[in-house]
Amino acid sequence: MKVNGKHYRSVWPIGDDAFGIIDQTRLPHEFVTLTLRSAAEAAHAITTMQTRGAPLIGAVGAYGLALDMRRDPSDENLAKVHDMLAETRPTAINLRWALGRMRDALLNRPRDQRAALAWAEAAAIADEDVAMSKSIGEHGLKIIQDLAAKKPGQKLNILTHCNAGWLATVDYGTALAPIYLAHDAGIPLHVWVDETRPRNQGASLTAFELGGHGVDHTILADNAGGHYMQAGQVDMVIVGTDRVTANGDVANKIGTYLKALAAKDNAVPFYVALPSSTIDWTIADGRDIPIETRSADEVLKMTGRLPNGSVALVEIAAPGSPAANPGFDVTPARLVTGLITERGTCAATPEGLRSLFPKA
Ligand code: MRU
């Protein structure tokens, strides 16, 4: 996608010994790119959320591992770097999927070839993610077209939570990909953007993306979505996900579950968009998904621009009060209208997923 007229992916190779990312902790106030030169730097970028979003951290983990194969291509180091990167964030399965794919591509291959093989495999993971996102967009577009046909001459109102756009993938996004395609196809639409406390990925990143693409949108306090659903001002919800279990349960950014409950109560269709790299076939119950606990500081403090133009971190809570900060929650499959994947849309059921991925 474009930033100030220049096309960017959210991760890109620089020669064959470094790669670039956008520092997402600086958005929307500043657009800053970073050059990463080691697996340790990649791990740091993932942990601090300079780079985030389930598919994107998979690609960044893959490039990080590839860099370390230049330094030491031994089996021991491959296992060590794999495990070090896998531990950076626990909920998004894409990270483990990408690292596992890298390991499988390198084990049993000559050591002197591993660095080049790893670099090519990381690039393939990134390119395939772009293709999957584009395909998700096309399948989601059909759903948007059907809903828009029921509201001729009126804007379709779509609510989304967190950031599942091009900044969370390598390009296009998952939940936002159908929205971009619908906008480009001339379908009139408006997006309600949940601010997504505590880190504000909606207000900071999704709004940045939609504004950059010219999509009409409004930022909402997280608690306001139910109100607008009751008022008939939400036609559909689309969110991304960090892990979908084999029975269709969906882990996504904390607060997603409450939106799904409100959507169910108001008969608003609730769709989840994902590449197949987000499906965890080994888990059949969302309660078994590990939920990341993040720092209390994310709840107690907030970053913003001050009137003098500088960006600062400020305290927003009563001094001394503790805070809890689960990063994700699980939306049970029964609340999900459909899963939009690169192979089409299916029911959030074991049969639905199997119908699209019979060999998985
Ligand atoms: O903690 P984050 O910002 O990495 O969480 C991101 C999300 O929850 C996204 O919705 C999810 O990763 C899907 S991104 C296509």
Side-chain angles (χ1 to χ4, degrees), residues 119-300:
W119 201 244
E121 192 67 16
I125 286 172
D127 287 346
E128 286 170 31
D129 187 67
V130 177
M132 288 194 285
S133 289
K134 223 174 158 183
S135 223
I136 289 165
E138 282 154 9
H139 292 297
L141 171 62
K142 289 180 213 151
I143 297 169
I144 293 180
Q145 280 168 331
D146 287 349
L147 289 170
K150 295 180 188 153
K151 287 185 77 179
Q154 292 176 67
K155 281 197 175 182
L156 193 75
N157 287 301
I158 303 176
L159 184 142
T160 192
H161 190 71
C162 195
N163 172 260
W166 69 269
L167 287 165
T169 60
V170 180
D171 207 348
Y172 295 103
T174 57
L176 295 194
I179 291 172
Y180 289 131
L181 293 193
H183 172 81
D184 294 349
I187 296 174
L189 51 83
H190 164 261
V191 182
W192 295 113
V193 178
D194 279 356
E195 62 176 347
T196 317
R197 283 282 290 144
R199 290 190 66 98
N200 293 321
Q201 288 95 329
S204 301
L205 305 177
T206 299
F208 171 83
E209 282 196 28
L210 293 174
H213 201 77
V215 179
D216 184 22
H217 65 281
T218 306
I219 298 168
L220 285 180
D222 290 323
N223 300 325
H227 167 75
Y228 282 111
M229 289 185 205
Q230 285 177 323
Q233 293 186 49
V234 182
D235 298 302
M236 86 186 284
V237 178
I238 317 183
V239 297
T241 169
D242 291 76
R243 195 183 298 217
V244 171
T245 60
N247 70 333
D249 290 342
V250 169
N252 193 45
K253 182 52 56 194
I254 192 76
T256 302
Y257 170 51
L258 288 177
K259 288 298 137 70
L261 283 173
K264 187 77 171 178
D265 193 45
N266 291 282
V268 173
F270 184 95
Y271 285 95
V272 179
L274 63 137
S276 50
S277 50
T278 305
I279 305 169
D280 184 347
W281 297 102
T282 69
I283 294 184
D285 185 331
R287 285 172 294 192
D288 293 334
I289 297 175
I291 299 294
E292 176 178 13
T293 298
R294 294 193 59 87
S295 161
D297 272 0
E298 292 183 349
V299 176
L300 301 172

